[in-house]
Amino acid sequence: MLELNTSRTLFIPAANAVSTSFDKSFMGEIQAHFFSTGLSLNTILAVLCTLAGVGVILGISKIAGHFSHKEPHFPASWISNTAALVHLLELAVSQRQKITLHFQGLHSEAARQGFVASFSEISKESLDLELSHYPENPKKWANRKIRCAFQLPRQSRPGHVDFFYFVTTSKQVTPIDNGMGLFSIQPPDHIEMGQKRLALRIAPPLQLVSGIALWPDKSDRQNPERSIVQLGRPALVYSPQQEEPLLKLINISAGGVRISMHSGLAHEMGLVLSRDKRFVVLFQLKDPDHKKKLNIWTICEIRNVFKDYETRSTELGMQFKKVGKINKNGKDIDWKAVPEDGIVSLGNWVAQRHLELYREKGLT
């Protein structure tokens, strides 16, 4: 994993909770600089707490690393939570969605083309699918590996659908009325999302975003800045304690993020917001599934800029280029290129939040 996980909060509500991992003179210079700028006390505290929290993370992570147990790793596109699985299948059943099936290990043209059924019923022991015709030789349909694919519409985006598939074992076919058949298969132990993680993005609930810190990336692109101290103070910070947030997280995926900020504030902080400019961005996201927080260091590159002159806000669409991990000395960031399918743990987090929106709102 390329990110650092910790159960401690990054954005703490007290400026004096500064970790000794940071040099005191450095923190003094930061405070002096902030008070000379005329920024509000809330802004100063938010930024100082960001830096303080980074230090806390570094200290806590060293201790936690000795006691934490590695959890089994699943691809970010897998849905393995029982409640989420049942909910998805129940949605498909309630909507009588179509499902396409392919027997595995068969090479005939018919096997390659597959066949279509309709979701009928789900139970703990069986997922029943309705066939338009009862097969001539139903015994050949039993105890075979079968690949299943289906889709569900998005309510909030008409015309858009989410794709899912899974592999399971067939059980039996029984005849029903009008020459039709009921095909029973084993409920899957996981379902895979058909979209690539890069394409799956969500607008996360604010209560799950603990904080964001943003620095302009002034280093050589081939040799990004590794020292946390050398990064200096963040140019902008989002904290839940802010009455008027300096940053707004619009949506996020495993491959990138869209944020907005007040255009005047960006100008005041001397930020150059144009295509190909890069920023170091630290995200802290709550992970209720594992009762911890996900801390993700990234280097982002601006891909598009949209200025709303009515609201005087600027939106940035940014792509993740590098992902970082705090190294053993606790003061430097080891950077690696983001994989083609995005940041693994972030993709997992986005997929789980996406499913929660399914459960809470029906369809997202």
PDB file of all heavy atoms in Angstrom, residues 155-168:
ATOM      1  N   GLN A 155     -30.062   6.699 -10.928  1.00  0.00           N
ATOM      2  CA  GLN A 155     -31.233   7.565 -10.869  1.00  0.00           C
ATOM      3  C   GLN A 155     -30.877   9.022 -11.090  1.00  0.00           C
ATOM      4  O   GLN A 155     -31.611   9.770 -11.740  1.00  0.00           O
ATOM      5  CB  GLN A 155     -31.935   7.387  -9.524  1.00  0.00           C
ATOM      6  CG  GLN A 155     -33.283   8.070  -9.438  1.00  0.00           C
ATOM      7  CD  GLN A 155     -33.962   7.778  -8.119  1.00  0.00           C
ATOM      8  OE1 GLN A 155     -33.309   7.531  -7.102  1.00  0.00           O
ATOM      9  NE2 GLN A 155     -35.278   7.793  -8.111  1.00  0.00           N
ATOM     10  N   SER A 156     -29.736   9.433 -10.530  1.00  0.00           N
ATOM     11  CA  SER A 156     -29.369  10.849 -10.603  1.00  0.00           C
ATOM     12  C   SER A 156     -28.762  11.233 -11.949  1.00  0.00           C
ATOM     13  O   SER A 156     -28.601  12.422 -12.232  1.00  0.00           O
ATOM     14  CB  SER A 156     -28.365  11.182  -9.486  1.00  0.00           C
ATOM     15  OG  SER A 156     -27.171  10.451  -9.666  1.00  0.00           O
ATOM     16  N   ARG A 157     -28.421  10.234 -12.774  1.00  0.00           N
ATOM     17  CA  ARG A 157     -27.841  10.527 -14.081  1.00  0.00           C
ATOM     18  C   ARG A 157     -28.562   9.691 -15.132  1.00  0.00           C
ATOM     19  O   ARG A 157     -28.101   8.608 -15.499  1.00  0.00           O
ATOM     20  CB  ARG A 157     -26.339  10.238 -14.086  1.00  0.00           C
ATOM     21  CG  ARG A 157     -25.548  11.060 -13.102  1.00  0.00           C
ATOM     22  CD  ARG A 157     -24.052  10.874 -13.307  1.00  0.00           C
ATOM     23  NE  ARG A 157     -23.610  11.437 -14.565  1.00  0.00           N
ATOM     24  CZ  ARG A 157     -22.370  11.305 -15.046  1.00  0.00           C
ATOM     25  NH1 ARG A 157     -21.482  10.612 -14.368  1.00  0.00           N
ATOM     26  NH2 ARG A 157     -22.020  11.830 -16.190  1.00  0.00           N
ATOM     27  N   PRO A 158     -29.713  10.158 -15.598  1.00  0.00           N
ATOM     28  CA  PRO A 158     -30.482   9.395 -16.592  1.00  0.00           C
ATOM     29  C   PRO A 158     -29.628   9.029 -17.794  1.00  0.00           C
ATOM     30  O   PRO A 158     -28.858   9.847 -18.310  1.00  0.00           O
ATOM     31  CB  PRO A 158     -31.603  10.371 -16.977  1.00  0.00           C
ATOM     32  CG  PRO A 158     -31.746  11.270 -15.794  1.00  0.00           C
ATOM     33  CD  PRO A 158     -30.363  11.422 -15.236  1.00  0.00           C
ATOM     34  N   GLY A 159     -29.764   7.794 -18.210  1.00  0.00           N
ATOM     35  CA  GLY A 159     -28.986   7.309 -19.348  1.00  0.00           C
ATOM     36  C   GLY A 159     -27.661   6.692 -18.960  1.00  0.00           C
ATOM     37  O   GLY A 159     -26.985   6.097 -19.806  1.00  0.00           O
ATOM     38  N   HIS A 160     -27.260   6.816 -17.679  1.00  0.00           N
ATOM     39  CA  HIS A 160     -26.013   6.224 -17.214  1.00  0.00           C
ATOM     40  C   HIS A 160     -26.317   4.961 -16.396  1.00  0.00           C
ATOM     41  O   HIS A 160     -27.311   4.903 -15.674  1.00  0.00           O
ATOM     42  CB  HIS A 160     -25.226   7.211 -16.352  1.00  0.00           C
ATOM     43  CG  HIS A 160     -24.639   8.349 -17.132  1.00  0.00           C
ATOM     44  ND1 HIS A 160     -25.402   9.405 -17.587  1.00  0.00           N
ATOM     45  CD2 HIS A 160     -23.362   8.596 -17.533  1.00  0.00           C
ATOM     46  CE1 HIS A 160     -24.619  10.253 -18.239  1.00  0.00           C
ATOM     47  NE2 HIS A 160     -23.393   9.791 -18.217  1.00  0.00           N
ATOM     48  N   VAL A 161     -25.459   3.977 -16.535  1.00  0.00           N
ATOM     49  CA  VAL A 161     -25.636   2.724 -15.808  1.00  0.00           C
ATOM     50  C   VAL A 161     -24.316   2.302 -15.176  1.00  0.00           C
ATOM     51  O   VAL A 161     -23.238   2.737 -15.596  1.00  0.00           O
ATOM     52  CB  VAL A 161     -26.147   1.582 -16.730  1.00  0.00           C
ATOM     53  CG1 VAL A 161     -27.533   1.897 -17.251  1.00  0.00           C
ATOM     54  CG2 VAL A 161     -25.177   1.329 -17.875  1.00  0.00           C
ATOM     55  N   ASP A 162     -24.417   1.459 -14.165  1.00  0.00           N
ATOM     56  CA  ASP A 162     -23.249   0.817 -13.560  1.00  0.00           C
ATOM     57  C   ASP A 162     -23.256  -0.648 -13.969  1.00  0.00           C
ATOM     58  O   ASP A 162     -24.303  -1.309 -13.967  1.00  0.00           O
ATOM     59  CB  ASP A 162     -23.293   0.927 -12.035  1.00  0.00           C
ATOM     60  CG  ASP A 162     -23.045   2.339 -11.561  1.00  0.00           C
ATOM     61  OD1 ASP A 162     -22.139   2.990 -12.108  1.00  0.00           O
ATOM     62  OD2 ASP A 162     -23.754   2.793 -10.644  1.00  0.00           O
ATOM     63  N   PHE A 163     -22.076  -1.171 -14.315  1.00  0.00           N
ATOM     64  CA  PHE A 163     -21.946  -2.545 -14.776  1.00  0.00           C
ATOM     65  C   PHE A 163     -21.315  -3.407 -13.681  1.00  0.00           C
ATOM     66  O   PHE A 163     -20.394  -2.970 -12.990  1.00  0.00           O
ATOM     67  CB  PHE A 163     -21.082  -2.608 -16.039  1.00  0.00           C
ATOM     68  CG  PHE A 163     -21.680  -1.873 -17.203  1.00  0.00           C
ATOM     69  CD1 PHE A 163     -21.376  -0.538 -17.435  1.00  0.00           C
ATOM     70  CD2 PHE A 163     -22.556  -2.515 -18.075  1.00  0.00           C
ATOM     71  CE1 PHE A 163     -21.922   0.152 -18.508  1.00  0.00           C
ATOM     72  CE2 PHE A 163     -23.109  -1.837 -19.156  1.00  0.00           C
ATOM     73  CZ  PHE A 163     -22.793  -0.502 -19.364  1.00  0.00           C
ATOM     74  N   PHE A 164     -21.799  -4.636 -13.560  1.00  0.00           N
ATOM     75  CA  PHE A 164     -21.296  -5.560 -12.555  1.00  0.00           C
ATOM     76  C   PHE A 164     -21.178  -6.962 -13.179  1.00  0.00           C
ATOM     77  O   PHE A 164     -21.934  -7.303 -14.094  1.00  0.00           O
ATOM     78  CB  PHE A 164     -22.254  -5.643 -11.356  1.00  0.00           C
ATOM     79  CG  PHE A 164     -22.559  -4.318 -10.724  1.00  0.00           C
ATOM     80  CD1 PHE A 164     -23.666  -3.580 -11.125  1.00  0.00           C
ATOM     81  CD2 PHE A 164     -21.747  -3.802  -9.730  1.00  0.00           C
ATOM     82  CE1 PHE A 164     -23.962  -2.355 -10.551  1.00  0.00           C
ATOM     83  CE2 PHE A 164     -22.028  -2.575  -9.151  1.00  0.00           C
ATOM     84  CZ  PHE A 164     -23.135  -1.854  -9.557  1.00  0.00           C
ATOM     85  N   TYR A 165     -20.239  -7.733 -12.662  1.00  0.00           N
ATOM     86  CA  TYR A 165     -20.170  -9.128 -13.095  1.00  0.00           C
ATOM     87  C   TYR A 165     -19.580  -9.980 -11.987  1.00  0.00           C
ATOM     88  O   TYR A 165     -18.919  -9.488 -11.066  1.00  0.00           O
ATOM     89  CB  TYR A 165     -19.395  -9.290 -14.402  1.00  0.00           C
ATOM     90  CG  TYR A 165     -17.938  -8.909 -14.363  1.00  0.00           C
ATOM     91  CD1 TYR A 165     -16.964  -9.841 -14.013  1.00  0.00           C
ATOM     92  CD2 TYR A 165     -17.518  -7.619 -14.700  1.00  0.00           C
ATOM     93  CE1 TYR A 165     -15.629  -9.514 -13.992  1.00  0.00           C
ATOM     94  CE2 TYR A 165     -16.181  -7.278 -14.682  1.00  0.00           C
ATOM     95  CZ  TYR A 165     -15.237  -8.231 -14.339  1.00  0.00           C
ATOM     96  OH  TYR A 165     -13.910  -7.890 -14.308  1.00  0.00           O
ATOM     97  N   PHE A 166     -19.831 -11.283 -12.091  1.00  0.00           N
ATOM     98  CA  PHE A 166     -19.298 -12.226 -11.112  1.00  0.00           C
ATOM     99  C   PHE A 166     -19.219 -13.607 -11.741  1.00  0.00           C
ATOM    100  O   PHE A 166     -19.836 -13.873 -12.782  1.00  0.00           O
ATOM    101  CB  PHE A 166     -20.165 -12.263  -9.847  1.00  0.00           C
ATOM    102  CG  PHE A 166     -21.604 -12.646 -10.069  1.00  0.00           C
ATOM    103  CD1 PHE A 166     -22.009 -13.985 -10.044  1.00  0.00           C
ATOM    104  CD2 PHE A 166     -22.573 -11.681 -10.306  1.00  0.00           C
ATOM    105  CE1 PHE A 166     -23.335 -14.335 -10.237  1.00  0.00           C
ATOM    106  CE2 PHE A 166     -23.904 -12.020 -10.495  1.00  0.00           C
ATOM    107  CZ  PHE A 166     -24.289 -13.359 -10.464  1.00  0.00           C
ATOM    108  N   VAL A 167     -18.433 -14.467 -11.133  1.00  0.00           N
ATOM    109  CA  VAL A 167     -18.305 -15.863 -11.554  1.00  0.00           C
ATOM    110  C   VAL A 167     -18.787 -16.740 -10.415  1.00  0.00           C
ATOM    111  O   VAL A 167     -18.419 -16.520  -9.253  1.00  0.00           O
ATOM    112  CB  VAL A 167     -16.848 -16.210 -11.932  1.00  0.00           C
ATOM    113  CG1 VAL A 167     -16.729 -17.694 -12.265  1.00  0.00           C
ATOM    114  CG2 VAL A 167     -16.389 -15.363 -13.101  1.00  0.00           C
ATOM    115  N   THR A 168     -19.612 -17.723 -10.720  1.00  0.00           N
ATOM    116  CA  THR A 168     -20.159 -18.598  -9.701  1.00  0.00           C
ATOM    117  C   THR A 168     -20.375 -19.989 -10.286  1.00  0.00           C
ATOM    118  O   THR A 168     -19.899 -20.288 -11.382  1.00  0.00           O
ATOM    119  CB  THR A 168     -21.471 -18.006  -9.135  1.00  0.00           C
ATOM    120  OG1 THR A 168     -21.886 -18.787  -8.027  1.00  0.00           O
ATOM    121  CG2 THR A 168     -22.564 -17.974 -10.183  1.00  0.00           C
TER     122      THR A 168
END
